[in-house]
Amino acid sequence: MNANLDVVPMQEWIKTDGKPLIIAGPCSAETEEQVLETANRIKAEGYAHIMRAGVWKPRTRPGSFEGMGEPALKWLVEAKKQTGLPLAIEVATPEHIELALKYGVDVLWIGARTTVNPFNVQDLADALKGVDIPVLVKNPVNPDLALWVGAFERLQGSGIKKLGAIHRGFSNAQEVKYRNSPMWQMAVEMKRLFPQLPIIGDPSHMAGKRSLLMELSQRILDLNYDGMIIETHRDPDAAWSDASQQLTPEALGTMLRELEVRQANYGAEFTDELAAMRAKIDNIDRELMEVLAARMAIVEKLGEYKRDNNVAVLQLDRWKQVHADRAKQASGLGLYPEFVEELFKLVHLESIRKQTEVMSATVA
């Protein structure tokens, strides 16, 4: 993917003293009392750099709570006055942007349901022309990296340079553990393409339930993300939206103190040992590719045999057997079966492609 982003470093628009950025606050601003109490309890814990709250809530179906709108902005302004915490809210229309700027909101974010629609993102980008404000973009609902990158390019085209990505996970019909599959490789690839772009993890929307927040937050820190946005409510069980994934300000403080922040830099001795282990990995990777090439050579011969005997490419019983056997073998080798299943899905797809190519070729 050919793309380039000119991004202002995060530390130039928010000071975190070298610590991961923490954005905390309720999923939704419900009442003035709820906003102010939550804000002051977050401030008392001392971990937050920015307070978040949902002012407009895009819901899947009409009739559910869709946010308090402009009145909530007045409550947030008072919360900022009392705590000194900058404010972050989600915007989905140019009118939202106009009101957010009117009330002095400090950071905007674009939600997953908006990122998925380039027309909506362009409308927001157009509304932001000439405005100097940080804008964070959540990944689209489905795992489409180009769509995510495209949102940043549209904002960049309007002159926005204070940018950051929020990784909140992806919709996946096969997911059983998390509300949204993390699909970590998507965020890692985004970081590879744009190393200067801050990546902020959203464990709340990945998890869907508070019992999983600790493990996801630690994984986020282990991958050296630049920060986290975590939903925090004075009384989570009574929340008007996303009750099961929110924490009290105090519970979030306890969790954050228990998390391990890994070192980003290391000494010469560690570097030498790291280089030696990476060299071994490089050799093994080369051997893996040689094995894959040998497998595909056999697949090609298999395709020729099927073509000559007029046999269909896809043999479903054989694929079911491979799928089950490889996962079982993975367990015996100390590998995660889920990882091996996904790996062999890719291998099988390439095998199908190769055999189809052979089938389509004209026999000399």
Side-chain angles (χ1 to χ4, degrees), residues 242-260:
D242 288 349
S244 61
Q245 67 193 37
Q246 299 191 67
L247 294 171
T248 65
E250 296 75 22
L252 177 57
T254 298
M255 185 185 83
L256 291 173
R257 286 188 288 272
E258 292 176 356
L259 292 169
E260 293 284 344

Side-chain angles (χ1 to χ4, degrees), residues 41-62:
R41 285 166 62 181
I42 288 172
K43 178 64 176 179
E45 288 291 314
Y47 50 72
H49 303 101
I50 298 174
M51 180 180 172
R52 59 143 291 154
V55 174
W56 300 278
K57 300 297 297 179
R59 313 308 292 174
T60 302
R61 300 180 65 188

